[in-house]
Amino acid sequence: MRMASNDIASFYADKNIFITGGSGFVGICLLEKILRTIPNHGTIYLLLRPKKGKAIAERLEEIKSNQVFEILLKDRSVEEAFAKVRAIAGDVGEDNLGLSIEDRKVITDNVNVIIHSAATLDFGENLRTTVNTNVLGTRRVTELAKECSKLKVLVHVSSAYVNSYRLECEEIIYEKPCDAEELIAVVKKLDDKELEEKTPELLGKHPNTYTITKHLAEHEVKAVEGLFPCTIVRPSMIIGAWKEPVPGWTISKNGPQGFLMGAAKGVIRRLPVGRNLIYDYIPVDMVINNLLAAGFSAGTKQAKAVEVYHCTSSTRKPFSWMLIEDQINGYLHEYPLKSAVWYPYLKFVPTITYYKISAFFVHILPAILLDFVTKLGGGRPILMKLHRNVNNSLDRLEKFIFTEWKYDATKTMELHNSLSKSDQEKFNLDIAELTWMDYFRDLALGARVYLNKEPLKTLPAAKAKDNVLLLLHLAFQAGIFSLIWYGFACAFGMKMSASIFVMPISYFIFSLL
């Protein structure tokens, strides 16, 4: 049954909200959505840790300056927009969340909604760090929640990949992969070397330390489900905004947006993908809507059991790279970079081995040359470091690159359909109208503006440079193939005219790379 319009905004009106992970991709977008669409919100407490010598006040100022708030600040000042946003010093990786006695009391006396987004997302992170941040960090949040006398709901940001050992997943909490207390005890007992050696055994069916610890974190939430309403939202791979606040907005370099960022520079030229596989990508604004709607649902119904929602696309709007393979390079040249180092061209390859062979010729050798030139010019060579990082990450990402999952999102759609018409528009959970080709065009522009930091006013100059780079690229190719032709003729004592067949053969071989 649908309720009156503006139900979600009314639910959050005058409620004080505590957010962990407020400086991350999801956290910043969540803050923007609340400030823009829930004008009567209460105080928003952002848990921030002092970082790189910066106090939390400085970190909050950095958050305020993010381009995501441009729409919000069109009709109000920074001071007005952020009047009820307060930075709280702390860290989910520390005992008691690193909160001072005074700050903890402020939170426990006043907070009505907790949205727990903080986590370590690195698939290659060691088990000690992920257990402390993802498992114990969530436990510390639930312990804080128990003390909050006015708490209405706890919203936990999980991941669809917590069940990555299952190819098809429902919106339920699956059995524990292991006993959390035993895992915590092992992590405390072993030194770093011993823990690294034992990690494969401890992971069991899980592919990495991230998925197993996020899985256990869900059970930390389940353990308190009878004390106050709880809900879990599981996003898949989170990518740039579909609609809000600006199409293509992103600050994350993970996944497709990171590759688009590098491809536009001309330094990433190959991408290992299964063209026909379904990849589960979800725009960040859909994740934010899901979080707020899930909190509203559990809080309004006073849910006694954890409500779980998949914020995913695989069973609702499937994406495969085949859909945009013919368009992707067009997007790169529609929105070229003034800072490009070579003519952009992105090609998909079917295996990691194929990628590494191809990358040696189109990534590594050019990187060595360009880094050398950069060093001679007094600059800082970074391309080889970039490609080493990419290559080192591929082995642990291979399962996620070449595995197809199907995440049922029935409950998410039921939640969407239960909302008022007004809320379905303002907090949309339905991706039926998303067109992947249009979306990736916006994402290419977003990568240009928000990741490569090139405003639209530089586009004419960038397009002029793109034309020059094309000519240089063609001239370079002509020079390489001519050298091969000349070298072959000399090596076999043949006339150039008689060995002309080497040119098309060379071109064909290189096209395979």
Side-chain angles (χ1 to χ4, degrees):
M1 179 179 175
R2 293 180 180 176
M3 302 178 190
S5 63
N6 298 320
D7 292 311
I8 292 179
S10 297
F11 174 77
Y12 289 101
D14 300 319
K15 286 187 172 60
N16 301 317
I17 305 171
F18 177 65
I19 300 174
T20 71
S23 62
F25 184 31
V26 170
I28 287 179
C29 197
L30 173 64
L31 176 61
E32 191 278 338
K33 178 80 173 189
I34 294 172
L35 295 180
R36 180 167 48 83
T37 63
I38 307 173
N40 297 322
H41 62 81
T43 302
I44 301 173
Y45 301 96
L46 298 181
L47 185 71
L48 300 174
R49 58 178 178 175
K51 192 176 181 182
K52 297 179 181 178
K54 293 180 181 177
I56 58 167
E58 291 180 80
R59 296 202 64 202
L60 181 57
E61 291 305 310
E62 283 185 353
I63 290 173
K64 292 178 184 179
S65 66
N66 193 285
Q67 287 175 283
V68 74
F69 298 108
E70 287 181 347
I71 302 298
L72 172 71
L73 297 176
K74 279 186 176 180
D75 57 0
R76 67 189 90 174
S77 67
V78 174
E79 291 73 21
E80 181 185 2
F82 289 87
K84 293 183 180 180
V85 179
R86 177 177 169 186
I88 297 288
D91 185 346
V92 296
E94 295 182 10
D95 291 341
N96 299 315
L97 297 174
L99 295 168
S100 68
I101 295 174
E102 295 78 12
D103 284 341
R104 192 175 186 94
K105 181 169 175 52
V106 168
I107 292 167
T108 56
D109 286 351
N110 296 286
V111 163
N112 310 111
V113 177
I114 294 177
I115 303 177
H116 176 41
S117 172
T120 178
L121 307 177
D122 187 352
F123 284 8
E125 188 62 87
N126 65 72
L127 198 54
R128 193 182 313 282
T129 299
T130 51
V131 165
N132 183 48
T133 303
N134 296 347
V135 182
L136 292 175
T138 302
R139 181 175 296 181
R140 293 170 188 129
V141 170
T142 60
E143 288 171 349
L144 176 72
K146 291 177 189 177
E147 299 174 23
C148 292
S149 58
K150 300 176 182 176
L151 189 67
K152 301 299 181 184
V153 66
L154 167 65
V155 182
H156 175 67
V157 184
S158 185
S159 167
Y161 300 106
V162 298
N163 302 303
S164 54
Y165 55 90
R166 296 174 180 270
L167 297 182
E168 296 188 12
C169 302
E170 298 177 11
E171 292 162 295
I172 60 175
I173 297 177
Y174 289 94
E175 66 279 0
K176 290 182 181 180
C178 63
D179 183 271
E181 301 309 321
E182 292 180 4
L183 181 62
I184 292 166
V186 169
V187 167
K188 287 182 178 179
K189 177 183 176 182
L190 301 180
D191 62 31
D192 290 345
K193 184 179 178 181
E194 291 171 329
L195 184 59
E196 183 179 354
E197 291 173 352
K198 195 172 179 62
T199 291
E201 177 188 338
L202 295 171
L203 292 180
K205 295 182 292 184
H206 275 272
N208 55 51
T209 61
Y210 171 77
T211 63
I212 191 172
T213 53
K214 289 293 284 184
H215 189 164
L216 289 171
E218 290 193 350
H219 284 273
E220 294 295 323
V221 177
K222 184 171 176 57
V224 296
E225 65 183 350
L227 302 179
F228 38 78
C230 301
T231 186
I232 292 173
V233 176
R234 293 176 179 154
S236 51
M237 167 63 74
I238 306 174
I239 51 180
W242 174 23
K243 295 180 179 180
E244 296 182 274
V246 178
W249 173 82
T250 181
I251 55 171
S252 171
K253 298 176 184 176
N254 293 328
Q257 49 224 348
F259 279 106
L260 287 174
M261 177 187 180
K265 286 275 191 183
V267 298
I268 298 294
R269 311 186 68 79
R270 297 294 181 269
L271 181 63
V273 297
R275 289 177 177 83
N276 300 315
L277 291 180
I278 293 173
Y279 286 81
D280 205 308
Y281 298 138
I282 194 74
V284 65
D285 46 336
M286 300 302 290
V287 178
I288 303 311
N289 291 346
N290 222 148
L291 293 174
L292 293 172
F296 157 73
S297 174
T300 301
K301 294 188 297 189
Q302 291 292 292
K304 300 301 181 184
V306 180
E307 296 185 345
V308 181
Y309 299 98
H310 278 156
C311 189
T312 53
S313 62
S314 54
T315 58
R316 296 191 288 163
K317 195 72 173 183
F319 168 83
S320 69
W321 282 100
M322 183 176 62
L323 291 175
I324 64 165
E325 184 173 11
D326 295 334
Q327 287 78 28
I328 193 73
N329 285 299
Y331 301 154
L332 295 175
H333 297 293
E334 186 176 350
Y335 303 114
L337 296 178
K338 193 177 177 183
S339 59
V341 299
W342 200 249
Y343 185 72
Y345 177 75
L346 187 61
K347 178 182 176 180
F348 301 152
V349 295
T351 67
I352 297 296
T353 301
Y354 196 143
Y355 171 84
K356 288 182 177 180
I357 293 170
S358 184
F360 176 77
F361 294 96
V362 302
H363 288 167
I364 305 303
L365 292 180
I368 292 172
L369 176 62
L370 289 170
D371 275 354
F372 177 72
V373 173
T374 300
K375 196 170 183 180
L376 286 179
R380 185 167 65 95
I382 60 171
L383 291 180
M384 272 304 297
K385 181 180 179 181
L386 166 70
H387 290 304
R388 272 196 297 268
N389 290 339
V390 170
N391 286 338
N392 290 339
S393 68
L394 284 175
D395 291 332
R396 63 175 177 264
L397 290 175
E398 185 169 7
K399 176 182 175 67
F400 295 87
I401 296 173
F402 296 106
T403 302
E404 182 177 288
W405 285 277
K406 291 183 180 179
Y407 295 110
D408 177 63
T410 300
K411 291 181 181 178
T412 294
M413 288 310 301
E414 288 175 352
L415 175 58
H416 174 80
N417 292 331
S418 73
L419 301 177
S420 67
K421 275 200 175 301
S422 175
D423 278 355
Q424 286 180 358
E425 293 175 4
K426 293 179 181 177
F427 301 92
N428 176 41
L429 307 180
D430 188 2
I431 57 174
E433 295 181 3
L434 185 150
T435 302
W436 286 114
M437 283 194 292
D438 294 340
Y439 172 81
F440 267 85
R441 176 184 285 108
D442 290 337
L443 191 61
L445 177 58
R448 181 189 199 275
V449 174
Y450 302 109
L451 297 182
N452 282 310
K453 307 295 184 185
E454 294 202 11
L456 280 175
K457 65 182 181 182
T458 65
L459 197 54
K463 287 191 173 183
K465 181 176 181 179
D466 194 52
N467 291 330
V468 172
L469 289 176
L470 172 59
L471 294 175
L472 291 174
H473 177 68
L474 294 174
F476 179 76
Q477 284 190 325
I480 291 292
F481 293 132
S482 296
L483 283 173
I484 293 172
W485 178 20
Y486 177 74
F488 183 89
C490 291
F492 290 92
M494 299 174 65
K495 292 181 179 180
M496 294 289 285
S497 57
S499 58
I500 187 66
F501 65 87
V502 171
M503 291 287 276
I505 292 175
S506 300
Y507 182 81
F508 173 73
I509 292 172
F510 273 85
S511 70
L512 295 177
L513 297 173

